[in-house]
Amino acid sequence: MRNFEDDPTLEDLLTSDQLQRLNRMLSTLCRNPVEIGSDRKADALALEFNLETVGWLSGGSSEQERLAAADLVSFLMMFIAKYRLAANLHHDTTEASYAELQKQNEALKASEARYRVLSDQLQDKVDEQVTVIKQAQMDLYESARLRSVGQLAAGVAHEINNPIGFISSNLKVADEYVNDLRELVPDSDQNRELLDDFDDLIRESSDGARRIASIVSDLKTFSSIDQADYTLCDVNELLASAVHLLQTDYGQDLEILEKPGELPKISGHPSRLSQTFYNLLDNAAQALKGQEQDAGAEGRAGRILAKTSVDSDGIRVVIQDNGCGIPEALREQVFDAFYTSRPVGSGTGLGLTVARDTVRAHRGTIQIESREGTGTRVTLLLPVS
């Protein structure tokens, strides 16, 4: 029986063992065998529960004992029924609570899984932001470092620029004086030797002065990288000008293969872009010299490729040589200011630094691929918009 509305049978209230035990106890009390069952016998009395007959009691030594035994059994069945109902109610409540706990447990598991996913996503976002912050800190540090170096370079360039102008001008006048002296002094071996030596001294001093002026020019370009003076630029024209200037410096024997593509004009600083292209071409020419020295007279012919193209990422400028290449151990330092692998006095160490900062100022990128003994390819990517 599950609730009070059910009509229980004798088997619902008493198990077989309980019924046999009850028969034995009643038989002892009544001094004659007493039997409780579902079948009605001749002297049987009804056993009632909730006004319903659930069984029959027979036997005993008298009618009075059967009545007392039947009342006792009905009385016991009422408490047995209450116990069963309470037990069933407790069982149903426990099962309902267990089912509710199971449901809540599943909900907690689903919630835990959802929050774990959210936690992982949040951690990814935090890691991404930390990376961005670290990169921003590195950029700020690099910017501050370059700004300090730029201020130093600007000061040095300013202090050197005026005296080097005087020296260059005086050397030019001195060269003219030497030519005048050749016509005034008597023509003798000793005088010619002295004048030739004087002429060599003036030429070497003039070369040194031009080199210093070139360094000052690089320093001025390096220190003025943040100035805003932009206009529409034709990258092909600027690159062609740099190629011609390089061939003027190195001679027409320097083979430069130009492959200009059809390019849109971009907003930029023409002199800085020209300086950048010249620096990269100059590095390529120096790499070819290094390759010739390493390979000797029988080495392969040196060649520089200057190529431009445009795609969805912007204008791509490639300057490639088949020179000596950059050793792997030096590649991380090539952009450092004042770092140079050339012999002392032949380079300022600012060429690639100026190139990188110029490209950054134009919101572009620069990439260097190099293999020692094979060559170097520098790729500039300049956005169109």
Side-chain angles (χ1 to χ4, degrees):
M1 57 182 297
R2 304 301 304 177
N3 53 55
F4 288 101
E5 284 75 22
D6 292 341
D7 293 327
T9 63
L10 184 62
E11 289 77 13
D12 294 333
L13 296 171
L14 296 170
T15 64
S16 176
D17 292 340
Q18 291 173 337
L19 191 60
Q20 291 178 8
R21 186 180 177 187
L22 185 58
N23 283 336
R24 286 197 298 272
M25 289 187 292
L26 290 175
S27 297
T28 301
L29 291 173
C30 294
R31 294 170 296 171
N32 276 325
V34 174
E35 183 179 0
I36 301 172
S38 301
D39 299 330
R40 181 178 182 179
K41 295 185 177 178
D43 58 347
L45 295 178
L47 296 175
E48 295 184 348
F49 178 79
N50 284 345
L51 303 179
E52 294 289 339
T53 300
V54 297
W56 300 92
L57 184 144
S58 60
S61 58
S62 65
E63 178 71 14
Q64 189 177 4
E65 288 179 354
R66 285 195 295 275
L67 284 173
D71 288 341
L72 178 59
V73 172
S74 298
F75 183 75
L76 290 175
M77 285 193 296
M78 181 182 66
F79 286 98
I80 291 171
K82 287 182 178 180
Y83 170 78
R84 293 282 178 85
L85 288 172
N88 289 337
L89 182 61
H90 176 72
H91 177 266
D92 292 345
T93 304
T94 303
E95 280 196 340
S97 299
Y98 178 75
E100 182 63 24
L101 287 174
Q102 285 286 92
K103 186 177 178 180
Q104 293 179 1
N105 185 46
E106 293 300 325
L108 286 173
K109 285 181 178 179
S111 177
E112 181 188 8
R114 187 167 61 256
Y115 280 111
R116 188 177 291 113
V117 172
L118 291 174
S119 175
D120 292 341
Q121 292 175 347
L122 180 60
Q123 186 62 45
D124 291 342
K125 290 287 184 185
V126 170
D127 293 342
E128 183 180 341
Q129 290 300 313
V130 168
T131 303
V132 170
I133 291 171
K134 285 183 177 178
Q135 185 60 45
Q137 288 176 334
M138 291 295 295
D139 290 344
L140 286 173
Y141 170 76
E142 183 69 9
S143 177
R145 188 177 70 87
L146 290 175
R147 193 178 301 112
S148 300
V149 176
Q151 290 173 349
L152 174 63
V156 171
H158 177 73
E159 294 298 328
I160 293 177
N161 198 38
N162 287 336
I164 202 63
F166 301 147
I167 293 172
S168 297
S169 177
N170 292 342
L171 287 172
K172 187 176 180 182
V173 174
D175 186 51
E176 293 174 358
Y177 287 167
V178 171
N179 291 331
D180 293 340
L181 285 174
R182 287 184 187 278
E183 298 176 358
L184 296 176
V185 299
D187 187 12
S188 64
D189 292 340
Q190 184 179 7
N191 288 342
R192 280 198 302 274
E193 184 178 354
L194 286 173
L195 290 173
D196 288 343
D197 285 347
F198 199 8
D199 198 30
D200 290 341
L201 290 174
I202 292 174
R203 187 173 59 255
E204 289 176 0
S205 299
S206 297
D207 289 340
R210 278 195 296 272
R211 189 177 300 168
I212 293 173
S214 175
I215 294 172
V216 169
S217 176
D218 281 346
L219 288 174
K220 289 174 69 177
T221 303
F222 174 73
S223 61
S224 62
I225 202 67
D226 291 330
Q227 291 180 2
D229 189 12
Y230 279 45
T231 184
L232 283 179
C233 299
D234 187 326
V235 172
N236 281 335
E237 285 186 359
L238 297 176
L239 183 58
S241 298
V243 169
H244 297 157
L245 179 61
L246 188 76
Q247 285 182 322
T248 301
D249 292 344
Y250 283 84
Q252 294 301 320
D253 293 338
L254 181 64
E255 182 181 353
I256 302 179
L257 178 62
E258 296 181 68
K259 289 188 175 181
E262 279 194 31
L263 306 179
K265 291 186 177 180
I266 63 171
S267 176
H269 196 294
S271 65
R272 291 174 192 162
L273 288 175
S274 295
Q275 183 68 43
T276 295
F277 297 151
Y278 181 83
N279 289 341
L280 298 179
L281 289 166
D282 186 46
N283 285 342
Q286 291 292 334
L288 295 183
K289 278 188 175 180
Q291 182 74 348
E292 290 173 0
Q293 292 173 357
D294 293 341
E298 297 180 355
R300 55 194 167 92
R303 187 175 62 248
I304 298 174
L305 170 66
K307 178 182 176 183
T308 61
S309 61
V310 63
D311 55 27
S312 59
D313 294 329
I315 291 177
R316 197 175 299 274
V317 180
V318 175
I319 297 176
Q320 183 174 342
D321 66 75
N322 59 347
C324 59
I326 305 172
E328 185 176 357
L330 303 181
R331 286 174 201 163
E332 293 185 355
Q333 307 174 51
V334 295
F335 288 113
D336 290 350
F338 303 112
Y339 172 79
T340 179
S341 59
R342 299 183 192 177
V344 176
S346 60
T348 62
L350 293 174
L352 282 177
T353 307
V354 170
R356 181 199 59 187
D357 292 341
T358 298
V359 171
R360 281 185 178 175
H362 288 75
R363 294 179 289 111
T365 60
I366 181 171
Q367 182 180 5
I368 294 182
E369 303 165 77
S370 184
R371 184 178 298 172
E372 190 173 7
T374 302
T376 301
R377 178 169 58 196
V378 182
T379 304
L380 307 182
L381 187 63
L382 301 170
V384 175
S385 58

